[in-house]
């Protein structure tokens, strides 16, 4: 399997149809179609459902898109790293971040590093702790900002000098909005949105001293920002944060 063909595949996915992708790649449509057909034959899988105006990825196509993006990114970064060895420090540093208080310190470190090495570029992605760990394992990320509890046995790590706090998000007109702090009894009868990560969820339930079926849980979530619209509709969001 050639990296060149994976780039063709990703271009087709981005453009949404083979004709537009062929124009972008400065290829004829039959040539591109043949390359895709050979790729499907090599993998022994159907990657596209071909419609009149657009293509739709199959499950195998979705899997290949994820893996192809990782491989192309690694190849690009490798080229940049070797190019950087010829002169001043350059290249791309891929960083995965959870949503936490540590993000502010991470931003400060990035700016200071960029001032020192202006040819360096950052790729910054928001994702969950589990996704960050997986991408660190695969070498797709260089740095990850995680939230404990997290398995850091295989990584070199430093703890940020910050204290993350457990927090509850409610609407501005909710009586709890004026509380300095809350106790389990203040919220256990409310409709809750809880974290989806098992380790954090267990800490959450331990604070309550209850099992999930004893609480009114509407939804589980992975990233804070995705819950805000539910909060605006009257649901409550709760998550424990401990910074790494």
């Amino acid at each position: 399997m050639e990296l060149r063909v994976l780039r063709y595949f990703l271009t087709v996915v981005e453009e949404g149809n083979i004709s537009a992708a062929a124009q972008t790649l400065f290829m004829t449509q039959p040539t591109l179609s043949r390359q895709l057909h050979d790729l499907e034959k090599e993998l022994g899988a159907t990657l596209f459902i071909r419609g009149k105006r657009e293509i739709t990825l199959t499950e195998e196509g979705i899997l290949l898109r994820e893996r192809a993006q990782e491989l192309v990114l690694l190849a690009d970064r490798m080229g940049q790293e070797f190019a950087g060895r010829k002169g001043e420090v350059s290249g791309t540093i891929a960083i995965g971040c959870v949503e936490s208080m540590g993000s502010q310190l991470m931003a400060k470190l990035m700016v200071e590093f960029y001032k020192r090495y202006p040819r360096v570029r950052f790729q910054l992605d928001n994702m969950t702790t589990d996704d960050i760990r997986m991408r660190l394992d695969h070498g797709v990320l260089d740095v990850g900002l995680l939230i404990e509890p997290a398995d850091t046995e295989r990584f070199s790590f430093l703890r940020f000098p910050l204290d993350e706090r457990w927090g509850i998000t409610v609407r501005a007109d909710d009586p709890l909005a004026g509380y300095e702090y809350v106790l389990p009894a203040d919220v256990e009868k409310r409709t809750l949105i809880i974290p989806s990560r098992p380790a954090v969820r267990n800490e959450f339930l331990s604070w309550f001293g209850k099992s999930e079926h004893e609480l009114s849980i509407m939804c589980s979530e992975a990233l804070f920002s995705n819950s805000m619209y539910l909060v605006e509709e009257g649901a409550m969001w709760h998550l424990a944060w401990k910074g790494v």
Side-chain angles (χ1 to χ4, degrees), residues 12-33:
V12 173
V13 173
E14 182 177 353
E15 295 292 343
N17 66 72
I18 296 176
S19 177
Q23 294 180 12
T24 300
L25 294 166
F26 300 102
M27 300 173 62
T28 65
Q29 185 172 335
T31 300
L32 179 56
S33 295

Side-chain angles (χ1 to χ4, degrees), residues 48-66:
F48 303 104
I49 299 174
R50 292 165 171 81
K52 292 183 178 180
R53 296 186 177 180
E54 62 182 6
I55 56 96
T56 302
L57 289 177
T58 62
E59 290 185 9
E60 291 81 1
I62 293 172
L63 176 60
L64 180 61
R65 178 185 62 188
E66 295 174 356

Side-chain angles (χ1 to χ4, degrees), residues 14-215:
E14 182 177 353
E15 295 292 343
N17 66 72
I18 296 176
S19 177
Q23 294 180 12
T24 300
L25 294 166
F26 300 102
M27 300 173 62
T28 65
Q29 185 172 335
T31 300
L32 179 56
S33 295
R34 185 170 60 253
Q35 294 281 356
L36 296 175
H37 176 75
D38 291 345
L39 178 61
E40 289 180 316
K41 185 177 180 180
E42 181 179 358
L43 294 173
T46 300
L47 302 175
F48 303 104
I49 299 174
R50 292 165 171 81
K52 292 183 178 180
R53 296 186 177 180
E54 62 182 6
I55 56 96
T56 302
L57 289 177
T58 62
E59 290 185 9
E60 291 81 1
I62 293 172
L63 176 60
L64 180 61
R65 178 185 62 188
E66 295 174 356
R67 296 295 179 263
Q69 288 172 337
E70 293 178 358
L71 289 171
V72 168
L73 176 61
L74 284 173
D76 290 344
R77 287 176 54 203
M78 182 172 63
Q80 293 168 354
E81 288 168 0
F82 274 87
R85 294 172 65 91
K86 299 176 182 179
E88 59 184 299
V89 176
S90 63
T92 300
I93 300 175
I95 303 174
C97 283
V98 295
E99 295 175 327
S100 74
M101 295 292 292
S103 298
Q104 184 174 6
L105 179 54
M106 177 64 78
K108 181 178 179 180
L109 294 173
M110 289 170 61
V111 171
E112 291 178 353
F113 193 89
Y114 180 74
K115 288 179 179 178
R116 184 172 181 179
Y117 304 107
R119 295 193 61 182
V120 169
R121 298 293 179 267
F122 294 100
Q123 176 186 317
L124 182 62
D125 293 310
N126 290 336
M127 55 187 69
T128 66
T129 292
D130 291 337
D131 287 337
I132 291 172
R133 287 182 59 254
M134 179 187 69
R135 290 172 182 260
L136 286 171
D137 280 337
H138 292 168
V140 178
L141 291 178
D142 299 302
V143 180
L145 176 62
L146 309 178
I147 292 179
E148 287 186 307
D151 180 11
T152 57
E153 183 177 350
R154 295 188 300 279
F155 310 122
S156 298
F157 71 93
L158 294 172
R159 283 187 170 84
F160 278 4
L162 298 170
D163 291 325
E164 301 281 357
R165 300 183 62 185
W166 291 38
I168 295 177
T169 301
V170 296
R171 286 168 43 132
D173 58 359
D174 191 293
L176 289 180
Y179 282 35
E180 182 179 354
Y181 61 88
V182 295
L183 301 173
D186 296 322
V187 294
E188 63 184 6
K189 301 299 182 182
R190 298 292 195 95
T191 299
L192 302 173
I193 304 170
I194 66 173
S196 57
R197 283 188 63 218
V200 181
R201 181 193 296 252
N202 290 338
E203 287 205 15
F204 168 82
L205 295 173
S206 177
W207 179 72
F208 267 113
K210 294 181 178 294
S211 60
E212 288 191 35
H213 73 269
E214 294 178 283
L215 300 170

